[in-house]
Amino acid sequence: VYTLAEGPTLAARLAVRLGRPVAALPRGHPRPRDGLPVSALHPFDTFGRDRLEESGGTVLHWTRPSWRATAQDRWLRVRAARGAARALAALGARRAFVTAGRDKSGVLLTAPPCEIRLRVRSALPHPRHPAVVAVPGTGPFSVAEERLLLERLGIDAVVAHDAGGTGAFPKLAAARQLRLPVILLARPPEPRLLPFEVLVRRLAALM
């Protein structure tokens, strides 16, 4: 058994439960001829999962749990970018911090007069729209860094994918501290994704 993409922590957990070594291969590493692969791709990376399955053989796809709100959070869950635009309009947001990808910014602009501050990786082209300002940066970021950024940019709403995990959570923790609403885009329907306990049972049956 080996994990693909972002799987070192998953590999360690599986090794304990299965009682055998589990290797963690980085993104782009060639797949071994032998062994059972477990995909640990981002929950929204449907293209990556399709590419893995096209390469042949059985691939099991693990997914990290969705984030869960606490009593201190102000989260709104929506199915798609248009729902996020409607939520921004209903909130009366004037400047939103968006980490849900550049492809969503055009739809979110249908909620005027909201301005978009869009997180992008430094290497990507910046969006070209007067109401969309790119915020270059590559994580991971700490909660303190995210809070400072939200305050400096004058953000009054956050739009993000429901990615789960710890790496992208600091912006939500910062929004919680600032009492900012967070609009979470739901994951795409994906019946192949398996939570951890189901994954362990499926692997044990195949080994």
Side-chain angles (χ1 to χ4, degrees), residues 19-120:
R20 63 176 63 193
V22 177
L25 304 183
R27 181 184 293 273
H29 191 285
R31 286 172 54 181
R33 293 184 178 180
D34 300 322
L36 184 61
V38 176
S39 161
L41 293 169
H42 191 282
F44 286 80
D45 189 1
T46 54
F47 177 76
R49 286 194 292 276
D50 291 341
R51 288 288 300 275
L52 281 176
E53 294 196 341
E54 289 171 1
S55 62
T58 300
V59 180
L60 297 181
H61 300 281
W62 165 80
T63 186
R64 53 185 104 130
S66 295
W67 287 316
R68 293 186 177 181
T70 69
Q72 290 73 44
D73 291 308
R74 299 176 60 198
W75 292 3
L76 299 170
R77 295 183 181 272
V78 298
R79 293 185 178 181
R82 293 193 181 281
R86 289 192 291 269
L88 287 173
L91 289 167
R94 309 216 26 117
R95 184 171 295 170
F97 183 57
V98 179
T99 65
R102 292 185 303 158
D103 59 320
K104 309 294 192 308
S105 60
V107 177
L108 295 177
L109 287 172
T110 62
C114 187
E115 299 176 358
I116 304 298
R117 297 298 181 262
L118 179 67
R119 171 164 281 163
V120 298

Side-chain angles (χ1 to χ4, degrees), residues 98-167:
V98 179
T99 65
R102 292 185 303 158
D103 59 320
K104 309 294 192 308
S105 60
V107 177
L108 295 177
L109 287 172
T110 62
C114 187
E115 299 176 358
I116 304 298
R117 297 298 181 262
L118 179 67
R119 171 164 281 163
V120 298
R121 294 182 180 179
S122 300
L124 291 176
H126 292 180
R128 296 185 179 183
H129 190 286
V132 180
V133 177
V135 182
T138 303
F141 303 98
S142 68
V143 176
E145 290 171 328
E146 295 288 59
R147 174 168 180 159
L148 182 62
L149 179 66
L150 295 176
E151 290 179 318
R152 178 171 61 83
L153 295 177
I155 299 300
D156 56 9
V158 175
V159 180
H161 285 136
D162 182 11
T166 58

